[in-house]
Amino acid sequence: MCGIVGYVGSKKACGILIEGLKRLEYRGYDSAGICVYHDGKLCIVKSPGRIAAVEKKIAGNVGIAAGTIGIAHTRWATHGEPNEANAHPHCDNAGTLALVHNGIIENYATLKQFLIAKGHVFRSETDTEVLSQLIGRFYNDGMRVLEDAVRAALTEVSGTYGIAVMSLREPDKLVVARKGSPLIVGVGSGEYIVASDASAIIEHTANVVYLNDNEMAVITRDGMRTMTLDNVPVTKEVQQIEWSLEQIAKGGYEHFMLKEIFEQPEAVRTCLRGRLDLRDMRVLLGGLEGVTRELVKTRKVILTACGTAWHAGLVGEYLFEDLARIPAEVEYASEFRYRNPIVEEGTTVIAISQSGETADTLAALREAREKGAMALGIVNVVGSTIARETDAGVYLHAGPEIGVASTKAFTCQLAVETLIALMLGRRRFMSQSMMEQYITGLAEIPDKIAQVLQQAEEIRKITEEFVRFDNWLFLGRGYNYPVALEGALKLKEISYIHAEGLPAAEMKHGPIALIHEGMPVVFIAPRCATYDKIIGNIEEVRARKGRIIAVATEGDEDIRRYCDRVIYVPDCLVPLQPMLTVIPLQLMAYYAALARGCNVDKPRNLAKSVTVE
Ligand code: F6R
């Protein structure tokens, strides 16, 4: 989604802003722009398309090259097509100020009408320009201090925003504010870098201040003041970003997605480190210490998330019921937040999110808390909004996930859910010997993922055989049904091949009509209690001349009789299987995208972090 970068200091702002935008590219965007103050002017350059187009346009622009304060933006179109006029920054009518904005101003139409009636002339179709004009109206109509005008305007708007504003009249100042859209301030020596995402800051400093919703900051070279939108001063703690610059680079891989697929053994190992106690055979989750007693007594777990994280939640539903014997259900965050859900006493809601900023997941979490649930988070990005708004939680420690298609966050989400379910299971009913089996099994997962990855070349060849087909099915049962959904999602979002994931037995209730000669059907069929049933489902597809690719347990030679191609994963306990069976499907999606010439790091219409609903 949209990205914000801002700089104030003694260095030339332009390079820092452009580099920052490039670090945010992975989030997805369709236009970009920059504003730098120099010599009494706000120098603004914008362009549809890539950041390179902006760079080309600013070559030779003396003002932009010389200034030491500025703001920049990558836009992911919501209101109005991606063209130069709609790109940020946006100004007020008098050209006194410039603003970049992430989020959506919901009442923009009413405000726009009001402003037009007062003589304002709009140059774009965006909701953002309404906000810049409104701030300008206050600023040029009596209010002489930028933060006062920003505050006054923000009280009039409804919706979500992360904004950075600068002005001609106070050229040493950036004013930033947030509500529902992340905003972080990097604190350097004599300089500040504002960004919507830590990856644009890390190159300059690891010291950051996370703004909360309804907070703003007034930043100059001499310091930063933070306050609520009601102008009550707040003291913010300077925190450390945990990630390094190397972690957000491609490290020799062609695409971030491939890098992150291959990082999974290490990511899961890091995620389990210190949490799996192999000496005393127990699970230690420091992040849940304060709530463990309450959690053990919980009557129901609701897992809420979107997309891939929702698929992890579906595995979680199985894990919590199976290993902890707690009734569990998974809810699409976007549905949960609007359907007036019943949250009974003793309910724990677990929000699962890589970014920790997904608008629907955050809103679902708030809804559940409002209704009295205890709220936990399974989040990757440290200090993100969801992480901060939960009562307790467990970080994934997967490292930064830049690839738009989520991969390593998914396997780490599964690892964390398993840890929580085991911890609760042991305290509720699980025998120590059973616990030991799981702990041993979980500790072996990183090496087993590495074994699956060794077959990448074989998986590439299999994928290329089938890649010309435009419709695929993914079928699984039990713990591998969510994996089927995830396999289908990965394939469609990266390669644009239409794919559906289903519980295998559901096929005969309708979707079987789709099967025709040659259609690729991927069965996730490792050894488990329903293995014979899934062989029956494979036979049904074979009878209709579909072509079958199976993901099966190593040593299962028998399954070859029914399938066209087999990809093997090491044996493991059934509840742990998804962490292995998903790996070939991630690789298939990646290789299918390559074979079809799709841009894996910038998939069509997709953004990494969906901070609008
Ligand atoms: C798919 C994908 C998305 C995200 C979803 C939730 O590959 O990445 O479906 O899983 O947008 O994002 P987070 O986990 O950041 O809340």
Side-chain angles (χ1 to χ4, degrees), residues 53 152 203 245 311 316 564 575 597:
E203 197 174 345
L245 198 56
H311 296 154
D564 294 273

Side-chain angles (χ1 to χ4, degrees), residues 305-311 352-359 361 378 386 401 403-407 409 413 486 489-490 493-494 606-610:
C306 303
T308 288
W310 186 88
H311 296 154
I352 307 171
S353 175
Q354 187 287 128
S355 62
E357 302 292 351
T358 300
T361 309
I378 298 179
I386 293 176
E401 190 180 69
V404 172
S406 186
T407 52
Q413 283 158 355
E486 176 60 6
L489 176 64
K490 284 288 93 87
E493 68 177 327
I494 295 297
L606 281 175
K608 176 64 183 160
S609 178
V610 185

Side-chain angles (χ1 to χ4, degrees), residues 423-459:
M423 184 195 74
L424 295 179
R426 177 71 186 111
R427 281 166 203 244
R428 287 164 65 95
F429 80 98
M430 192 184 270
S431 68
Q432 181 59 16
S433 69
M434 198 191 239
M435 183 73 169
E436 288 180 17
Q437 280 182 42
Y438 278 107
I439 290 203
T440 311
L442 201 46
E444 288 168 357
I445 288 295
D447 286 343
K448 290 185 176 176
I449 296 177
Q451 281 177 46
V452 183
L453 289 169
Q454 281 167 11
Q455 300 169 72
E457 191 47 28
E458 179 63 18
I459 294 169

